[in-house]
């Protein structure tokens, strides 16, 4: 989807709406909204972690071998905050988002790394699903 995904998400945020995005090959087995607790800007899933314990860290995981985190862009919940909008803008600006046939996940992770500490992030607990 290249740069289209973050552009569409940003447009919805600019209208003042919360946004729940998930890939079409993902299936919910329960209501995810009851697990979106707190006042975070962005909620997402960690692509490299085993199932997280109930009292897991909400911090961005440390970068992996390629110098970036491995957060999955297949499920993102965004609140219409300045922080979420900043993440979407940074994602759009990443060169990986503009490359033809590029997977958008590395660009999403670079954007998260660049805004770490500026945006209130939450790793979504996938245990109930």
């Amino acid at each position: 989807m290249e740069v289209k995904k973050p552009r569409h998400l940003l447009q919805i945020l600019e209208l003042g709406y919360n946004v729940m995005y998930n890939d079409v090959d993902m299936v919910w087995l329960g209501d995810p909204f009851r697990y979106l607790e707190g006042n975070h800007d962005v909620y997402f899933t960690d692509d490299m972690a085993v199932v997280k314990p109930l009292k897991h860290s909400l911090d961005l995981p440390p970068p992996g071998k390629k110098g970036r985190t491995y957060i999955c862009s297949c499920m993102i919940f965004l609140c219409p905050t300045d922080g979420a909008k900043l993440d979407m803008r940074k994602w759009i600006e990443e060169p990986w988002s503009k490359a033809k046939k590029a997977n958008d996940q590395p660009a999403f992770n670079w954007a998260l790394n660049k805004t770490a500490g500026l945006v209130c992030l939450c790793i979504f607990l996938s245990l109930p699903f």
Side-chain angles (χ1 to χ4, degrees), residues 10-93:
L10 179 58
Q11 288 173 340
I12 296 168
L13 291 172
E14 294 288 1
L15 293 172
Y17 294 104
N18 291 330
V19 182
M20 170 66 90
Y21 171 85
N22 60 266
D23 287 348
V24 296
D25 61 350
M26 187 177 150
V27 177
W28 290 107
L29 300 175
D31 178 8
F33 292 101
R34 65 186 206 148
Y35 296 96
L36 299 173
E37 298 175 351
N39 294 317
H40 305 285
D41 298 316
V42 182
Y43 298 77
F44 49 78
T45 56
D46 187 346
D47 208 22
M48 296 297 286
V50 295
V51 175
K52 297 200 170 294
L54 290 174
K55 295 196 181 228
H56 66 285
S57 170
L58 301 178
D59 295 333
L60 195 62
K65 294 178 185 175
K66 295 183 180 180
R68 61 175 160 74
T69 53
Y70 294 94
I71 301 300
C72 186
S73 60
C74 66
M75 194 299 299
I76 308 167
F77 181 78
L78 303 156
C79 296
T81 62
D82 290 339
K85 293 173 191 175
L86 176 63
D87 264 346
M88 294 303 101
R89 287 188 191 101
K90 290 295 182 189
W91 189 4
I92 291 166
E93 293 170 6

